[in-house]
Amino acid sequence: MSGFRIVDRQRDRVRESRALAIQPRTLEVLARHGLGSPLVAAGNPAVHLQLHTPNRTVALRLFDIGIADTAYPFLLFLSQAETERILGEHLSQQDVAVQRGVELVDLDPGGEAVTCRLRHHDDGREETVLARYVVGCDGACSTVRTQAGIGFTGYPYPQTFLLADLDPDLDPDAVHTWLSESGMLFFFPLRTPAPFRMLAMRPPADPDTPVTLEYLQAIADRATGGQVRLRDPVWLTDFRLHNRGATHYQTGRIFLAGDAAHIHSPAGAQGMNTGIQDAVNLGWKLALSSRGANSALLDSYELERAPVGRAVRRMSDRAFTIATTRNPFIRLARTHLVPRIAPLALRFARLRGIGFRTIAQLAIGYRHSPLSTDGPTPPRHGPRPGDRLPDAAITV
C-alpha cells in the first residue's frame, strides 16, 4: 500500500451547473492550496439580491457589511462544472490523475487494510486493491456507505423541483427572487455554462408534464407576470429532494464525506461547501496518520464534522419549509411582509453580520473537539482552541 488513488465511476466530470455557489469558508480552506484566486477569477461575486413581488422590486445589499477578517466577504457564484474543472486542473498540475470509469464493486474491512474490488468500465477488468483507508465521497447512493453497513436516515420532501441553465433577460450581477403565494422562483447568476440557473417548484397539478423551455416559460410567466423571457437552455431537468444523514462518518478504516454523509435541500448553498470542508478536515488527518500520527487524530473527524452536518440539515430544512409551505399564513407573510421587513432588518450591520457568518460557514468551530485544548496560560481574549483563525493585518 503506497500513495493514494482517486477513482470515479463517472467517465467524465460534471458538465451541468449543479452546485452553484462557493461560501467564504470554503474559499479560505481551498486558498491554502492556491485555489482561491482561480476560483474567484472564474466566478461571479454577486453581492445583491433583487426581491420581486407583484407590486414592487426591492434591492437588498447582503454582504457589504465591512467584514475584514476574511479575504472573501462574498458568496461566489460559480457552477459546479467550473469548480470541478479548476480542481481537476490543480490535481493534474500535482501529477494526480482521477481514474475515471473505475467503480468500487465491494469492500471487505480487515485488520490492517480494507480489501477493495474495483471494476474498470472500459474493458470489464477487475482488480483487488488493499487500502489502509477508504473514503467514500460517492454521493447519496454511496456504495462505500452501503458496503460498510452505515445507515442513512431521514426523509424525502414531497415537492418536485424544476431546474434549468438558461439565459433570461435579467441583470447578470444579482440574484433574482419572485415571491408569490404559490411559491418562489429563483434566478442565480452563473456566467457558465449559461448566464443563469433557474429554480422553481413544479405545480402539484401537473406532476408529469415534460420539462421543456415552453413549460418553464409558463412557470416564469405565472410568477413574474410575463416580465422575464427565457431562451437558450443548456440543461433542463426536474428532481426530488431528501433530508438524510449517515448514522456514522467512520467505521474502522472507512470514512464518509460529502453527500455520502449528508444530503438536504439547496437552501443556503451549503451542500457542496460542507462536503469540501469534510474532505479538507479529513485529508490532513489521513496524511498525518499515514505518517504514524496517533490514531486519536482520525477519531476526531466524526466528532468535529458530524455536528456540522446535522446543523446544516436543520438550517436548510427550516429555510426550505418556509419557502415551500402551503400554510396560508406563512404564504401571506412570504408575499407581503418579507419585502417590507427585509430592507429594514438589513439596515442593521450587526444583524447582517451574524446572518452572513452563519450562511458563509465562518462561524463553524471545534471547541469541543478532543484536539482543542488550552495551554497552561491561555489568552483572555481572541480565538479559543478550535475556533477559526480570522484574517488580520500583519504589522512588520
Side-chain angles (χ1 to χ4, degrees):
M1 295 179 291
S2 63
F4 64 92
R5 293 175 66 176
I6 303 174
V7 301
D8 191 336
R9 61 176 171 248
Q10 302 299 327
R11 295 180 181 273
D12 194 9
R13 65 173 175 84
V14 165
R15 298 288 176 174
E16 305 86 16
S17 63
R18 301 200 181 184
L20 74 165
I22 305 180
Q23 298 289 355
R25 183 58 182 152
T26 304
L27 289 169
E28 288 183 347
V29 300
L30 292 177
R32 304 172 191 169
H33 305 282
L35 288 162
S37 295
L39 289 167
V40 172
N44 184 359
V47 294
H48 70 285
L49 167 69
Q50 290 193 16
L51 192 63
H52 306 269
T53 68
N55 301 317
R56 60 189 302 196
T57 295
V58 179
L60 302 177
R61 308 296 297 188
L62 298 178
F63 301 146
D64 55 338
I65 53 180
I67 286 183
D69 67 356
T70 179
Y72 309 101
F74 49 78
L75 179 65
L76 181 71
F77 285 92
L78 181 64
S79 79
Q80 184 176 330
E82 287 297 286
T83 301
E84 287 197 20
R85 177 186 64 79
I86 292 169
L87 293 177
E89 290 175 353
H90 178 74
L91 288 174
S92 295
Q93 292 166 5
Q94 310 303 314
D95 295 323
V96 175
V98 178
Q99 299 173 24
R100 297 195 174 277
V102 181
E103 179 179 5
L104 174 71
V105 179
D106 57 40
L107 54 79
D108 180 19
E112 297 300 320
V114 182
T115 303
C116 305
R117 183 159 61 94
L118 305 179
R119 178 177 297 140
H120 295 251
H121 290 178
D122 286 342
D123 55 12
R125 175 173 58 90
E126 293 191 353
E127 64 171 313
T128 299
V129 175
L130 295 180
R132 182 177 297 175
Y133 304 107
V134 172
V135 183
C137 307
D138 48 345
C141 300
S142 170
T143 301
V144 172
R145 189 187 63 239
T146 302
Q147 291 284 321
I150 299 175
F152 200 48
T153 59
Y155 48 87
Y157 290 108
Q159 300 89 349
T160 300
F161 290 84
L162 305 167
L163 199 65
D165 293 343
L166 39 67
D167 185 8
D169 47 356
L170 291 169
D171 175 2
D173 291 319
V175 178
H176 298 266
T177 302
W178 270 264
L179 303 178
S180 68
E181 293 187 15
S182 61
M184 303 177 74
L185 171 66
F186 294 92
F187 289 96
F188 300 98
L190 285 178
R191 293 182 178 167
T192 61
F196 275 88
R197 149 80 62 83
M198 174 182 173
L199 177 64
M201 192 162 64
R202 181 190 279 274
D206 46 47
D208 300 318
T209 303
V211 184
T212 63
L213 181 62
E214 292 73 23
Y215 179 59
L216 294 178
Q217 184 66 65
I219 298 290
D221 288 345
R222 191 179 310 167
T224 70
Q227 299 177 40
V228 179
R229 183 58 46 191
L230 310 179
R231 57 184 178 272
D232 300 333
V234 174
W235 180 47
L236 310 171
T237 190
D238 60 359
F239 65 100
R240 298 284 300 275
L241 294 171
H242 292 248
N243 188 312
R244 300 186 186 277
T247 53
H248 295 287
Y249 282 30
Q250 174 189 4
T251 177
R253 296 179 175 274
I254 301 171
F255 299 84
L256 302 176
D259 285 0
H262 43 74
I263 57 173
H264 43 80
S265 88
Q270 302 291 295
M272 181 187 72
N273 292 275
T274 304
I276 289 174
Q277 291 176 50
D278 287 343
V280 170
N281 183 289
L282 179 59
W284 68 265
K285 294 173 181 177
L286 285 172
L288 290 180
S289 296
S290 297
R291 297 183 177 98
N294 192 298
S295 60
L297 183 63
L298 286 177
D299 294 339
S300 70
Y301 170 63
E302 179 170 343
L303 294 173
E304 291 179 0
R305 293 305 299 173
V308 174
R310 289 192 293 268
V312 166
R313 289 176 59 207
R314 285 195 302 270
M315 179 181 69
S316 65
D317 181 66
R318 290 168 184 163
F320 177 83
T321 300
I322 292 172
T324 61
T325 183
R326 307 295 293 176
N327 182 294
F329 296 104
I330 297 180
R331 289 167 62 186
L332 184 66
R334 187 173 62 204
T335 305
H336 299 286
L337 294 182
V338 170
R340 291 176 170 82
I341 294 175
L344 298 176
L346 290 174
R347 289 180 182 177
F348 298 96
R350 180 177 176 81
L351 183 62
R352 281 188 295 165
I354 293 172
F356 172 76
R357 289 182 183 280
T358 300
I359 297 298
Q361 302 191 343
L362 296 174
I364 292 173
Y366 309 119
R367 288 186 180 182
H368 302 294
S369 168
L371 304 183
S372 302
T373 57
D374 281 313
T377 56
R380 300 179 62 182
H381 304 287
R384 292 173 53 187
D387 289 352
R388 163 185 168 269
L389 185 64
D391 285 351
I394 298 176
T395 302
V396 180

